[in-house]
Amino acid sequence: MTSESHSLRPPVTGTVPRIRATDIAKRYGPTVALAGVSLDVDDGDSLAIMGPSGSGKTTLLHVLAGIIRPDRGTVRLRTKSSVVDVTGLDDEERSALRLAELGFVFQQGLLIPELTALENVALPLLLAGISRSAADPRAQRVLDELGLHGLGERRIGQLSGGQAQRVAIARATVTGARTVFADEPTGALDSQTAAEVMDALLAATSARGRSLVVVTHDDAVAARCSHVVRVLDGRITGHATAPVTDHATEPVSGHEAGWS
Ligand code: ADP
Ligand code: MG
């Protein structure tokens, strides 16, 4: 690792990044949640958003994903066919975008407890109009890739926390979603399991050219990501880029990775 300084991103010429957020602001009544945030996320990037509780991380994630409309600013998302401003979509367009392009993983996987692991993973495919007979083998393959072979028939309550988060990762990626958002996906796990789940999340996303945006409190999680931004009071106060490509073993530490 070197002490060389890195900017978050070289200037984009010609190509459009996967996500480009420009000057995002959002208030809740008198509370300023975001006060002018700009960032880019490119194909295969894994971006960790860090910061203290209440700093605006979840609001930022939800604005990037088109779940919350900001008061100001734009979020451009490059899809398979075009570039859309997610802040300008109506509900129907947003739902279609989410089904086709986006995946979500939350702290508690928000899996459906009455369904088996396989049924949970197949659900987004069924919602997309794919037949059960085509959806099930596809869901099974993704479960197998995430190390869950043989667990497809279990209900969520019969899985460990780490296994349940893998099911959530499978569900988030089974449709081929190219952009995945995760809000504290390892927040309820012990450190060893958190590391394994983070590795599974990266293997299912950035290692395949998908883009991952992950809110985390965990330095060990951020250290596995290619980029880290720090948020405080709704602003980005620092960013770092992993200085080497082997992000699984080389931690992004503030000084050495070139905070700016
Ligand atoms: P973080 O995820 O970093 O903990 P949030 O994005 O959830 O932060 O919240 C940022 C700020 O906005 C906090 O002050 C929080 O209380 C406030 N906030 C978030 N969501 C709402 C809401 N729906 N209504 C009112 N205030 C909110
Ligand atoms: Mg939050």
Side-chain angles (χ1 to χ4, degrees), residues 57-58 183-184 215:
K57 304 182 298 297
T58 292
D183 197 349
E184 311 218 16
V215 166

Side-chain angles (χ1 to χ4, degrees), residues 49-250:
I49 300 174
M50 302 195 79
S53 184
S55 56
K57 304 182 298 297
T58 292
T59 304
L60 176 57
L61 192 82
H62 287 182
V63 169
L64 295 178
I67 296 170
I68 293 175
R69 198 183 299 246
D71 303 328
R72 187 184 80 212
T74 56
V75 178
R76 292 206 178 75
L77 180 83
R78 178 162 44 77
T79 72
K80 284 163 197 149
S81 51
S82 63
V83 177
V84 295
D85 179 357
V86 302
T87 60
L89 301 179
D90 65 27
D91 287 349
E92 202 173 314
E93 292 166 327
R94 194 165 31 228
S95 298
L97 177 73
R98 287 179 62 167
L99 263 183
E101 299 276 347
L102 309 182
F104 296 89
V105 181
F106 300 97
Q107 177 170 348
Q108 310 288 351
L110 297 187
L111 298 163
I112 300 172
E114 291 80 14
L115 300 183
T116 65
L118 183 72
E119 288 167 341
N120 268 281
V121 177
L123 192 58
L125 298 173
L126 301 180
L127 289 173
I130 293 169
S131 72
R132 183 89 201 229
S133 59
D136 279 358
R138 204 160 135 187
Q140 186 62 59
R141 195 168 63 241
V142 178
L143 284 171
D144 291 349
E145 284 167 5
L146 282 155
L148 296 168
H149 187 75
L151 300 179
E153 295 313 311
R154 292 213 196 162
R155 288 181 205 287
I156 302 310
Q158 298 171 311
L159 299 171
S160 70
Q163 288 167 342
Q165 282 304 66
R166 286 167 192 265
V167 173
I169 293 165
R171 188 186 54 178
T173 54
V174 71
T175 58
R178 298 195 310 160
T179 306
V180 176
F181 298 95
D183 197 349
E184 311 218 16
T186 65
L189 304 175
D190 66 79
S191 59
Q192 171 68 29
T193 308
E196 291 166 7
V197 165
M198 193 57 201
D199 285 344
L201 183 56
L202 288 166
T205 56
S206 59
R208 295 164 175 238
R210 292 172 173 151
S211 302
L212 173 68
V213 182
V214 54
V215 166
T216 185
H217 275 112
D218 186 343
D219 284 322
V221 166
R224 289 176 147 75
C225 292
S226 64
H227 299 80
V228 182
V229 294
R230 297 209 177 249
V231 179
L232 184 67
D233 296 338
R235 295 178 191 280
I236 290 180
T237 58
H239 51 231
T241 300
V244 289
T245 52
D246 188 3
H247 54 72
T249 54
E250 291 284 348

Side-chain angles (χ1 to χ4, degrees), residues 26-40:
K26 174 70 184 172
R27 315 172 69 114
Y28 295 102
T31 305
V32 176
L34 295 173
V37 169
S38 299
L39 57 80
D40 285 355

Side-chain angles (χ1 to χ4, degrees), residues 18-49:
R18 178 70 56 82
I19 304 171
R20 170 161 288 177
T22 307
D23 196 26
I24 299 297
K26 174 70 184 172
R27 315 172 69 114
Y28 295 102
T31 305
V32 176
L34 295 173
V37 169
S38 299
L39 57 80
D40 285 355
V41 180
D42 222 327
D43 297 351
D45 278 0
S46 49
L47 172 67
I49 300 174

